[in-house]
């Protein structure tokens, strides 16, 4: 039953993405993308884990995949510059959130060593995000130039980004914590959640192609594109 929360989260967030992209185009992609990037760090599996047997799921695996898909959708619908701008904006927003969480926690409960660890976990997430998205943005453009089927292009790159991000993040967390956390249980659940969300990503792209969306032309006028 608990796994249904991940499914419901995916349905809700992808539905928001579809509707907002239809009416607000690139602006919607930035709002949803940055929101999901920050949310995946705040509502992480460590603090909001859903334990099912030996696996520990978290909604962060769902909303992080949404972020990856949104960056690639921005690349597909607009250009590489827009995709990197979204990526860098999300990275900056994550670190700003980390700083605010650090200050708020220190002010309310006093300084403790776990505050440092919390800030470091955000930093690791940013590094993992940059590595995953930089590689996949370049790969997406390369495969696009080779006329690879667009759905296959999305599938390959969302999965690659998810694999790289989870491996770097959970690997670094496990090493720093001395493997005290359920590393394999969290990593395995993360891949399951991201695989499910990748399927939703492909469905979302199919629906988006059937709906016109707002795109900026060279004169900064909004026009509808199919």
């Amino acid at each position: 039953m608990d796994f249904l929360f991940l499914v419901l989260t995916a349905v809700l967030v992808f539905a928001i993405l579809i509707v907002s992209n239809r009416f607000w185009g690139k602006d919607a992609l930035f709002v949803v993308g940055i929101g999901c990037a920050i949310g995946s760090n705040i509502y992480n599996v460590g603090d909001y884990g859903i334990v099912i047997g030996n696996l520990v799921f978290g909604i962060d695996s769902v909303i992080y995949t949404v972020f990856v898909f949104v960056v690639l959708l921005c690349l597909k619908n607009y250009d590489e510059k827009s995709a990197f701008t979204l990526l860098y904006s999300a990275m900056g927003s994550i670190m700003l959130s980390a700083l605010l969480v650090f200050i708020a926690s220190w002010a309310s409960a006093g300084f403790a060593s776990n505050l440092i660890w919390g800030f470091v976990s955000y930093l690791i997430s940013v590094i993992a995000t940059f590595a995953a998205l930089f590689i996949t943005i370049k790969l997406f453009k390369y495969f696009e130039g080779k006329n690879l089927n667009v759905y296959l292009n999305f599938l390959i790159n969302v999965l690659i980004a998810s694999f790289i991000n989870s491996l770097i993040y959970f690997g670094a967390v496990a090493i720093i914590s001395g493997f005290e956390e359920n590393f394999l249980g969290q990593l395995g659940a993360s891949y399951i959640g991201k695989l499910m969300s990748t399927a939703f990503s492909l469905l979302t792209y199919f629906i988006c192609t059937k709906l016109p969306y707002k795109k900026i032309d060279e004169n900064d006028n909004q026009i509808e594109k199919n």
Side-chain angles (χ1 to χ4, degrees):
M1 180 63 183
D2 290 337
F3 187 79
L4 288 179
F5 283 106
L6 271 70
V7 178
L8 291 174
T9 300
V11 171
L12 176 62
V13 178
F14 278 111
I16 292 173
L17 173 59
I18 291 170
V19 174
S20 61
N21 180 64
R22 163 64 182 87
F23 292 102
W24 295 287
K26 187 191 291 187
D27 291 341
L29 297 186
F30 271 70
V31 171
V32 175
I34 293 173
C36 286
I38 296 173
S40 65
N41 284 270
I42 295 176
Y43 308 110
N44 61 79
V45 66
D47 295 329
Y48 298 92
I50 301 172
V51 180
I52 303 176
N54 292 324
L55 298 174
V56 185
F57 293 90
I59 66 168
D60 55 338
S61 63
V62 173
I63 55 181
Y64 185 83
T65 306
V66 177
F67 165 64
V68 171
F69 172 67
V70 166
V71 172
L72 295 179
L73 185 61
C74 190
L75 174 64
K76 175 63 179 175
N77 287 352
Y78 300 96
D79 51 39
E80 186 174 323
K81 180 180 178 181
S82 297
F84 273 114
T85 299
L86 174 52
L87 171 59
Y88 296 144
S89 298
M91 291 168 59
S93 298
I94 291 171
M95 291 313 302
L96 177 59
S97 297
L99 179 61
L100 296 177
V101 169
F102 181 87
I103 294 173
S105 299
W106 190 351
S108 63
F111 183 82
S113 59
N114 66 321
L115 292 182
I116 300 295
W117 162 237
F119 187 85
V120 169
S121 68
Y122 277 82
L123 180 59
I124 293 172
S125 175
V126 166
I127 293 172
T129 293
F130 176 75
L133 269 300
F134 182 86
I135 291 171
T136 49
I137 287 173
K138 295 300 182 180
L139 276 178
F140 192 97
K141 290 296 293 182
Y142 173 78
F143 288 140
E144 192 173 47
K146 297 296 182 179
N147 297 317
L148 182 68
N149 177 273
V150 63
Y151 290 96
L152 188 56
N153 201 356
F154 273 112
L155 175 62
I156 291 172
N157 284 287
V158 171
L159 289 178
I160 288 176
S162 299
F163 177 83
I164 293 173
N165 174 263
S166 292
L167 189 61
I168 294 176
Y169 179 77
F170 287 111
V173 168
I175 292 171
I176 293 174
S177 65
F179 290 91
E180 293 181 358
E181 302 291 337
N182 184 0
F183 168 64
L184 293 179
Q186 291 182 354
L187 182 63
S190 174
Y191 284 141
I192 293 173
K194 289 177 178 179
L195 184 61
M196 177 199 70
S197 300
T198 300
F200 273 98
S201 297
L202 298 180
L203 177 60
T204 297
Y205 181 73
F206 174 78
I207 296 174
C208 286
T209 59
K210 304 304 178 183
L211 299 172
Y213 62 91
K214 296 295 183 180
K215 185 168 183 176
I216 307 298
D217 66 12
E218 294 179 354
N219 297 315
D220 291 332
N221 297 313
Q222 291 223 333
I223 57 178
E224 286 200 341
K225 300 290 289 183
N226 288 319

